[in-house]
Amino acid sequence: MGRGYAVKGRKKKRKLHEAAASDAGPPAEEAEELPLPEEAGGEDQGKDEEAAAGEEEKEHAAVEGLPIVPRPVDGKRRLGAIFVLEKACLEVGKVGKTMQILNSDDHANYLRKQNRNPADYRPDIIHQALLAIFDSPLTKAGSLQAVYVRTEKGVLFEIKPHVRMPRTFKRFCGLMSQLLQKLSITAVGKREKLLNVVKNPVTRYLPVGAQKIGLSFSAEKSVNLFDYVAKSSDDEPLVFVVGAMAHGKIDKEYTDDYIQICNYPLSAACCLNRICSALEQKWNIR
């Protein structure tokens, strides 16, 4: 009985050792084999997190690159129109921890604390003006040569004619904030600068012999815009200078002609729509 008991005890101890070895063995093997997959997975996860963070930054601020509108192929080569938008209210301010374009709706209290009039901060005017230009058949037909914008603070920047402007105001403000801080915005997947801050004055970028036309309600010369544009020479590029501010008038020092096109004050977007329509009629763009 004693021997039999001893044999059973040895078998039981052997089984316990084998069970312990079988339980301890696999984790040791897994611990040796798992580091490489974990490191690789960590890299992929890190990339995914960076990509997600990048997408969030693109949504809340402006995108690093802007989409490009396909350039139309026009058999008739003609001189395109140039627009200069003066005194646009685009000012960057630090609100909280972020830099934002100041506007009267979102930053009224911030502006009042700094003894500023919130009614003067209207970046929506330049947004609507740019949409009026870039949404017109004139631009889609390839008859827009360039757009220049000068802010109230005197910052001048150029916008290429094949840019697709942001549709929403929030995204537009993010784009302008990024432009005024980084001084340029490039195309998606390319190095081409679609928006670029340039040196003053704007006349250095206008073609030689261009006819510079300033528009203002306070101008003494009143014209029918459609007849005025129709009589203009096809050999001279047309440059239209329009104010993009809530109140005031443009500087007419560098303009060749200073005209009034309506008996009533017009918004910048409405004025630009009339100009685009007159040019479309002159160049038979439908």
Side-chain angles (χ1 to χ4, degrees), residues 239-272:
V239 180
F240 294 93
V241 184
V242 179
M245 62 287 189
H247 306 285
K249 56 184 179 180
I250 62 172
D251 184 9
K252 60 179 180 179
E253 290 183 0
Y254 65 91
T255 60
D256 300 323
D257 206 356
Y258 197 57
I259 63 173
Q260 175 193 25
I261 62 171
C262 184
N263 295 328
Y264 305 97
L266 300 177
S267 65
C270 182
C271 182
L272 291 165

Side-chain angles (χ1 to χ4, degrees), residues 113-154:
K113 288 179 182 178
Q114 297 190 356
N115 296 323
R116 302 184 189 181
N117 185 8
D120 295 334
Y121 291 81
R122 294 283 308 279
D124 57 296
I125 296 176
I126 184 64
H127 182 218
Q128 295 171 6
L130 291 174
L131 288 179
I133 296 173
F134 287 95
D135 284 351
S136 66
L138 178 78
T139 301
K140 294 178 180 179
S143 297
L144 176 66
Q145 186 171 338
V147 176
Y148 296 93
V149 178
R150 182 154 53 188
T151 69
E152 188 71 33
K153 297 293 184 180

Side-chain angles (χ1 to χ4, degrees), residues 35-51:
L36 290 177
E38 283 180 0
E39 290 176 2
E43 291 178 0
D44 294 339
Q45 186 176 1
K47 291 179 181 178
D48 294 341
E49 290 177 356
E50 290 177 1

Side-chain angles (χ1 to χ4, degrees), residues 10 73 89 124 169 176 240-241 279-280:
R10 289 175 187 173
V73 178
C89 186
D124 57 296
F169 178 66
M176 292 296 108
F240 294 93
V241 184
L279 291 171
E280 289 159 11

